[in-house]
Amino acid sequence: MQITRRSFLKYCTTAAAALGLGPGELAGLRRALANPTAPQVLWLQGSGCSGCSISLLNYISPTPPSDAADVFIRSLNLLYHPTLSAGAGEAVVRALRQAKDYFLVIEGGVPTAFEGHACAPWSEAGREVTFQAAVKEYAAPARQVICVGTCAAFGGVSAMGANPAQTQKVSAILGRKTINVPGCPPHPNWIMATLAPLLQGKTVAVDDLGRPTSIFGGEMCRRCSFHHAGEARQYGVNGQCLQDLGCQGRSADAPCPTMKWNQGVNWCVAAGAPCQGCVLPEYPNTSSRGRRGGPGGRGPGGPRGRSRQRPPGAQ
Ligand code: FSX
Ligand code: SF4
């Protein structure tokens, strides 16, 4: 039986997780087997649903890194990921304390009510460390802070409505701009297309919302094959424009119509669901946009095809 290096790495990680090895042991495996010069990545999760990480786990590419295992084992020198790392507790905290040269990836919003104690990722010396405190502490020395998902980038569903936990976007906590990869969740290709150049020491051009311009920009409607296909007046009618049903295609500027999801299988509108504008700062409160007569609608104030406008105060 032939064992490739890749399958051996996969086996080691699976075995390590099954055995509950701590970060010290995993670091040992990495030292022995993975690229020792790979940049480090520290991933923190706050108020969200973990869907952003799940989305990245669906990453598949014809070129290396070819899947999530390739990403996490051979492409990233992953210091810690709350969902994926085998280690937990004090061993993790000790490992994080030794982190020096790393990129900080943040997933989820930052709850600030109750002095931040609505979200406490770990304890140290018998005291809860709030996510708010962890974000501030680990962002300070980080090479870059990358917000993965609309919750971290703009607040998203974690900050919607009455928001009793007073959840905020990461940039509001840090008082400075972050690199943002929005989406609820973001497409795995968007995450990789942002992390890959950064980890190779390249700069990533971003727009006024902190989003990579290589990914975001350009009205979605112009790339949508249903744009001139007649207007659907009810759900369940395939192959028609869904703008009158609340589609946010005129406001959202993600490449979903061309890139599609699930390895190019489909995307929201082609599946009969109006785009909810999950990449927008207003998400999930985007319903006032894009409807007939609304600020981005086709009625007065927003004829189809006109450039979209952001409401005053939007980030
Ligand atoms: Fe938010 Fe991430 Fe939406 Fe979920 O944790 S961007 S709720 S898909 O996954 O932060
Ligand atoms: Fe998000 Fe709209 Fe793309 Fe669907 S089509 S993933 S709601 S930006």
Side-chain angles (χ1 to χ4, degrees):
M1 180 175 125
Q2 270 205 330
I3 299 176
T4 63
R5 179 178 182 273
R6 184 173 157 194
S7 61
F8 182 56
L9 282 166
K10 272 187 181 174
Y11 168 79
C12 290
T13 306
T14 309
L19 292 169
L21 295 181
E25 291 90 337
L26 287 173
L29 277 178
R30 275 206 307 269
R31 269 196 300 276
L33 298 170
N35 176 6
T37 62
Q40 293 183 311
V41 172
L42 169 55
W43 193 298
L44 297 180
Q45 283 177 333
S47 178
C49 73
S50 299
C52 306
S53 288
I54 302 299
S55 181
L56 184 54
L57 288 175
N58 283 324
Y59 180 80
I60 290 181
S61 165
T63 54
S66 57
D67 56 25
D70 248 358
V71 170
F72 283 109
I73 296 169
R74 294 202 293 199
S75 306
L76 308 182
N77 190 358
L78 193 62
L79 272 172
Y80 175 62
H81 186 295
T83 312
L84 302 174
S85 292
E90 290 178 2
V92 165
V93 177
R94 276 200 302 275
L96 295 184
R97 284 263 165 243
Q98 291 164 11
K100 285 191 178 68
D101 184 20
Y102 60 87
F103 290 85
L104 179 64
V105 177
I106 301 179
E107 173 183 352
V110 187
T112 60
F114 320 111
E115 297 179 336
H117 284 275
C119 184
W122 59 74
S123 295
E124 204 168 350
R127 297 179 64 121
E128 276 188 346
V129 175
T130 66
F131 185 62
Q132 185 177 4
V135 164
K136 282 183 181 170
E137 178 175 353
Y138 287 95
R143 278 208 220 178
Q144 296 270 10
V145 177
I146 303 112
C147 291
V148 167
T150 299
C151 294
F154 307 131
V157 292
S158 298
M160 70 182 284
N163 192 9
Q166 292 172 32
T167 298
Q168 296 185 24
K169 59 188 175 186
V170 171
S171 59
I173 299 300
L174 298 179
R176 63 182 164 100
K177 291 184 175 177
T178 52
I179 296 176
N180 296 327
V181 190
C184 191
H187 194 293
N189 291 12
W190 306 345
I191 302 172
M192 280 308 296
T194 306
L195 287 180
L198 289 173
L199 293 170
Q200 294 170 61
K202 299 172 184 168
T203 34
V204 169
V206 297
D207 62 14
D208 59 339
L209 297 173
R211 309 173 310 172
T213 52
S214 61
I215 303 167
F216 300 96
E219 194 178 291
M220 185 187 286
C221 281
R222 296 186 187 282
R223 289 176 273 185
C224 176
S225 55
F226 309 114
H227 187 39
H228 298 292
E231 296 157 26
R233 303 287 179 201
Q234 61 186 40
Y235 289 105
V237 179
N238 289 335
Q240 292 195 331
C241 174
L242 302 182
Q243 188 163 327
D244 281 354
L245 298 177
C247 185
Q248 301 297 317
R250 287 197 61 251
S251 304
D253 42 13
C256 301
T258 46
M259 186 178 287
K260 301 181 180 172
W261 287 70
N262 298 322
Q263 286 81 56
V265 171
N266 211 348
W267 68 290
C268 298
V269 175
C275 168
Q276 301 292 309
C278 76
V279 298
L280 297 172
E282 300 85 356
Y283 180 79
N285 302 313
T286 49
S287 57
S288 62
R289 286 171 160 265
R291 284 194 185 276
R292 188 181 289 276
R298 271 181 294 181
R304 188 202 289 233
R306 208 183 78 175
S307 295
R308 68 191 166 84
Q309 295 177 349
R310 297 194 185 288
Q315 188 191 12

